[in-house]
Amino acid sequence: MSLQPAVSRTNYLGRRRPADNGAVSAQQFRAEFDARVEFSNGGHLEVAGFRVDVPAADVSAAEVARLFVASLGLLMSETVDVSALRVFPEAHKGTRGGPSAAADTAGGARRLIELSHQLSHEPGTDLPVPVDSIGTCLDTPWYRHADGADLSTIPLSRIADLPAVVVRTAGSRTRAVDVGALAPFDVAGKAVLLHTGGDHTVGTAADADDAPYLTVDAAQWLADHDAALVGVDSIDIDDVRDPNRPARTILLATGVPIALNLTGLEHLPPHGARFTAAPPPFAWSGMFPVRAFAAILA
């Protein structure tokens, strides 16, 4: 076995698991609206097409106004006028002060949510072989940097039972996950899971050409804000068209492991899940398939 870190990864292939986890709740809703805020110390703020998580389809304009103020942390708000209010079914994105913001698994029964693709292999073989999609795996710092932790030395505190935040960009019509999508979240010490919807193109041409990815600025922001782990439901953390793999290089250089090709992130709440992606402790190896899963309140 080579004593040097790999610079290009081997693909362990598999199939997307059936969606048997169940939804986070029966149905979740978000609201879109225009608003004008008058401040008691003077001045005003106007927004158009703003969106927040809401607790129900029949949410009142007053409750939407409260959620809007809380989401932005606005101080000295005297009046808030909400107009053009539209409520629609959509998974919560983690509005600060919203219905999913305070979820926590510490005080109740938990259930486990599968976040891994199913690996496959041909009869008579010991390891997975190419079938139709790429399996879920973990990159450790040694994969990119010779002085970084490998599979046997990566701390369990970086890969197991981590508090998670789910950053949803699925349906945004953009491949890139940039700083703006991350900035509302407290990521220090947490598994930051990027729900891009990329797992639904597994095994297709879009996987190779148009897969979602993390921008260089966003990778640096996560490293600077002490994320414990970064996971993505895409074939790679980087733009597949960029051979330099800058996001991977930045994250692994600061000790942040990367869980690739997750699936089922739509079943997790924006806050409150506990995430695990633990590989076998092979020395001098930087990447290996994992059984990734999360615990949420039952």
Side-chain angles (χ1 to χ4, degrees):
M1 182 179 292
S2 171
L3 299 182
Q4 293 299 317
V7 293
S8 61
R9 77 179 157 89
T10 301
N11 291 332
Y12 288 86
L13 305 186
R15 294 188 175 91
R16 191 174 192 270
R17 292 183 184 274
D20 58 358
N21 294 312
V24 172
S25 62
Q27 195 166 38
Q28 294 181 344
F29 295 90
R30 306 193 79 224
E32 181 180 88
F33 55 94
D34 301 340
R36 179 185 173 98
V37 183
E38 298 286 347
F39 296 102
S40 59
N41 62 339
H44 70 274
L45 171 70
E46 292 187 62
V47 299
F50 199 88
R51 294 188 175 192
V52 295
D53 300 343
V54 295
D58 58 353
V59 64
S60 67
E63 177 65 4
V64 169
R66 185 197 68 77
L67 288 166
F68 168 59
V69 170
S71 70
L72 295 181
L74 298 177
L75 302 177
M76 305 181 73
S77 302
E78 185 169 354
T79 62
V80 182
D81 294 322
V82 170
S83 60
L85 175 60
R86 178 175 72 93
V87 179
F88 51 94
E90 186 175 85
H92 288 163
K93 296 185 182 295
T95 297
R96 181 166 52 178
S100 294
D104 193 351
T105 61
R110 303 190 303 171
R111 63 188 178 98
L112 300 180
I113 302 296
E114 179 71 68
L115 301 177
S116 298
H117 288 275
Q118 183 181 26
L119 289 172
S120 301
H121 66 89
E122 292 182 351
T125 63
D126 294 326
L127 290 175
V129 296
V131 179
D132 60 5
S133 62
I134 291 175
T136 304
C137 62
L138 186 84
D139 284 357
T140 63
W142 193 86
Y143 178 78
R144 197 74 173 170
H145 305 282
D147 58 348
D150 64 12
L151 295 172
S152 69
T153 58
I154 188 78
L156 287 175
S157 60
R158 284 279 192 177
I159 57 176
D161 197 32
L162 291 166
V165 294
V166 180
V167 179
R168 302 197 196 280
T169 62
S172 65
R173 299 182 181 180
T174 179
R175 295 172 58 222
V177 180
D178 208 352
V179 175
L182 305 171
F185 295 92
D186 173 12
V187 302
K190 296 180 173 66
V192 181
L193 308 180
L194 309 179
H195 175 210
T196 69
D199 56 331
H200 293 281
T201 63
V202 164
T204 70
D207 229 8
D209 299 329
D210 298 311
Y213 64 94
L214 188 69
T215 68
V216 174
D217 288 344
Q220 190 63 59
W221 188 92
L222 288 167
D224 292 343
H225 286 78
D226 301 319
L229 174 148
V230 178
V232 65
D233 58 356
S234 178
I235 188 175
D236 209 329
I237 198 76
D238 282 290
D239 187 345
V240 293
R241 301 167 187 171
D242 187 345
N244 294 318
R245 302 294 188 259
R248 174 184 278 109
T249 301
I250 291 168
L251 292 172
L252 296 183
T254 54
V256 181
I258 303 167
L260 296 171
N261 227 39
L262 299 169
T263 188
L265 293 179
E266 66 269 22
H267 300 297
L268 300 186
H271 304 271
R274 309 287 300 192
F275 178 78
T276 296
F282 288 134
W284 301 322
S285 295
M287 183 278 295
F288 204 78
V290 292
R291 186 78 178 265
F293 62 91
I296 66 172
L297 286 173

